[in-house]
Amino acid sequence: MNFLSTFITVLIIVVLAVPGYALRRTGLLHEKASGALAVLLLYVSQPFLMMSSLFNKPFDASMLANFGWIILFAVVLQLLVYLFACLVFVKDGDLAAKRAATASSYLGNVGFMGIPVMQMLFPDNTDLVLYTVIYNIAFNAMAWTLGVFAVTGDRRSVKPYKIFLNPPTIAVIVALPFFFCNVNIPEQVMTPISYLGEMTLPLSMVILGIRLADMRLPALFGNWRVYAASAIKLIFFPLFSLGVLLLVRSLFPLDRFVVIALFIIAAMPTASSALNFAEMYEGDKETAAASTLMSTLLCILTIPVLMLLLEVI
């Protein structure tokens, strides 16, 4: 894949954070604006993005095997990278910061950024978008179990029912029967769903800009854990995933586009889930926020470079 075109695509996405940053720095947005926008993002735009990504897409029973591979690797690869991150931060004496950095190392921005990036990079390949939606099912399950545990270190904080009772997963559960039955959704219904879903990427970037404006520079650039978490998320995770996937592909008939989808998803920056969990469970919000921001800024370079490896898949 062409480096320049990918670089421009990712740069355009990150530039969407500028309005949020500018409005917050000038005081036109209140300090609680990011929280209000995050509610809109989680409960409205992302669920509609999930539904619009499934509605009116052709389904064939042959896809089920690939969906199974996606879910399997989504769980296994996240678990392995989590264990690797635990080893990297094992000697860190700051327990809360260590937990936030560990979570930031493997929780990827699969929903807010992953689906739009896949749509922009591969506008003619709907399968890759479908694979990303299916990955989100496993990601949300892992986030509300392993992700919560990574931030808290307390198994009692893990609530299994939240695996299903979260807006994106509920949206997918609602949309899947229509997808599997190839039900055609009328254009009059699809139009508002698509409009609301398309808000996801701009909203997530505006929120990121607001958080960047509130971030103290020493916290962003002076914390070694932030660099370590970003390196694991942006470099180790995708390269390790690609190595595992190519090995499996040499042994089993693994579809090329399944490998591409999992590789690109692994290259996404840290998800805001790490920060959300830190806020919910009184973890290290500063490290989680800084890791999210740093990895998103660095992905402008890392994603285009990694996409050059698509030639070997």
Side-chain angles (χ1 to χ4, degrees), residues 227-307:
Y227 293 102
S230 297
I232 296 171
K233 184 66 202 73
L234 297 175
I235 300 173
F236 175 78
F237 195 164
L239 292 179
F240 174 73
S241 298
L242 182 59
V244 171
L245 291 165
L246 291 178
L247 176 61
V248 172
R249 192 182 178 204
S250 69
L251 302 173
F252 300 95
L254 189 60
D255 188 273
R256 177 174 181 264
F257 288 111
V258 169
V259 178
I260 291 174
L262 289 165
F263 175 56
I264 295 176
I265 290 168
M268 291 299 106
T270 300
S272 59
S273 304
L275 174 57
N276 295 339
F277 291 147
E279 291 174 338
M280 289 169 59
Y281 299 102
E282 299 181 354
D284 187 338
K285 296 184 287 291
E286 193 170 78
T287 297
S291 298
T292 302
L293 293 167
M294 178 64 77
S295 64
T296 304
L297 294 173
L298 293 176
C299 81
I300 297 173
L301 290 176
T302 59
I303 292 177
V305 171
L306 289 168
M307 291 308 98

Side-chain angles (χ1 to χ4, degrees), residues 2 17 21 62-63 80 84 132 189 193-194 197 225 303:
N2 183 275
Y21 178 86
S62 62
M63 295 178 174
L80 291 175
F84 176 77
T132 310
V189 177
I193 290 175
S194 298
R225 301 178 190 87
I303 292 177

Side-chain angles (χ1 to χ4, degrees), residues 142-163:
M142 294 286 285
W144 284 102
T145 50
L146 184 61
V148 172
F149 176 75
V151 170
T152 63
D154 184 0
R155 293 181 181 178
R156 293 173 298 180
S157 299
V158 177
K159 309 296 183 185
Y161 66 87
K162 289 190 176 181
I163 294 174

Side-chain angles (χ1 to χ4, degrees), residues 19-35:
Y21 178 86
L23 290 172
R24 178 69 189 115
R25 291 294 292 179
T26 55
L28 292 174
L29 283 179
H30 191 270
E31 61 181 5
K32 294 184 179 180
S34 63

Side-chain angles (χ1 to χ4, degrees), residues 12-64:
I12 289 171
I13 290 172
V14 176
V15 165
L16 295 175
V18 172
Y21 178 86
L23 290 172
R24 178 69 189 115
R25 291 294 292 179
T26 55
L28 292 174
L29 283 179
H30 191 270
E31 61 181 5
K32 294 184 179 180
S34 63
L37 292 175
V39 171
L40 181 61
L41 179 67
L42 179 63
Y43 287 91
V44 178
S45 64
Q46 190 187 12
F48 279 108
L49 176 65
M50 296 294 185
M51 287 192 287
S52 66
S53 299
L54 287 170
F55 285 157
N56 294 347
K57 301 298 190 298
F59 169 74
D60 185 89
S62 62
M63 295 178 174
L64 292 175

Side-chain angles (χ1 to χ4, degrees), residues 101-272:
T102 300
S104 300
S105 298
Y106 85 93
L107 288 172
N109 195 342
V110 182
F112 302 155
M113 190 171 174
I115 294 174
V117 165
M118 205 70 78
Q119 291 172 330
M120 295 172 75
L121 292 179
F122 301 94
D124 300 323
N125 193 321
T126 58
D127 285 354
L128 289 173
V129 176
L130 290 174
Y131 295 157
T132 310
V133 174
I134 297 301
Y135 187 104
N136 266 275
I137 299 174
F139 173 81
N140 286 321
M142 294 286 285
W144 284 102
T145 50
L146 184 61
V148 172
F149 176 75
V151 170
T152 63
D154 184 0
R155 293 181 181 178
R156 293 173 298 180
S157 299
V158 177
K159 309 296 183 185
Y161 66 87
K162 289 190 176 181
I163 294 174
F164 303 100
L165 295 183
N166 62 83
T169 300
I170 292 173
V172 171
I173 292 172
V174 169
L176 278 176
F178 294 90
F179 171 66
F180 287 143
C181 296
N182 283 311
V183 176
N184 183 63
I185 306 298
E187 184 179 349
Q188 295 85 344
V189 177
M190 277 302 301
T191 298
I193 290 175
S194 298
Y195 283 160
L196 290 169
E198 288 167 3
M199 292 166 46
T200 301
L201 181 60
L203 262 180
S204 65
M205 289 296 108
V206 167
I207 293 170
L208 188 77
I210 295 171
R211 287 173 171 165
L212 180 60
D214 289 332
M215 176 67 61
R216 298 183 304 109
L217 290 181
L220 182 60
F221 296 106
N223 187 339
W224 69 270
R225 301 178 190 87
V226 172
Y227 293 102
S230 297
I232 296 171
K233 184 66 202 73
L234 297 175
I235 300 173
F236 175 78
F237 195 164
L239 292 179
F240 174 73
S241 298
L242 182 59
V244 171
L245 291 165
L246 291 178
L247 176 61
V248 172
R249 192 182 178 204
S250 69
L251 302 173
F252 300 95
L254 189 60
D255 188 273
R256 177 174 181 264
F257 288 111
V258 169
V259 178
I260 291 174
L262 289 165
F263 175 56
I264 295 176
I265 290 168
M268 291 299 106
T270 300
S272 59

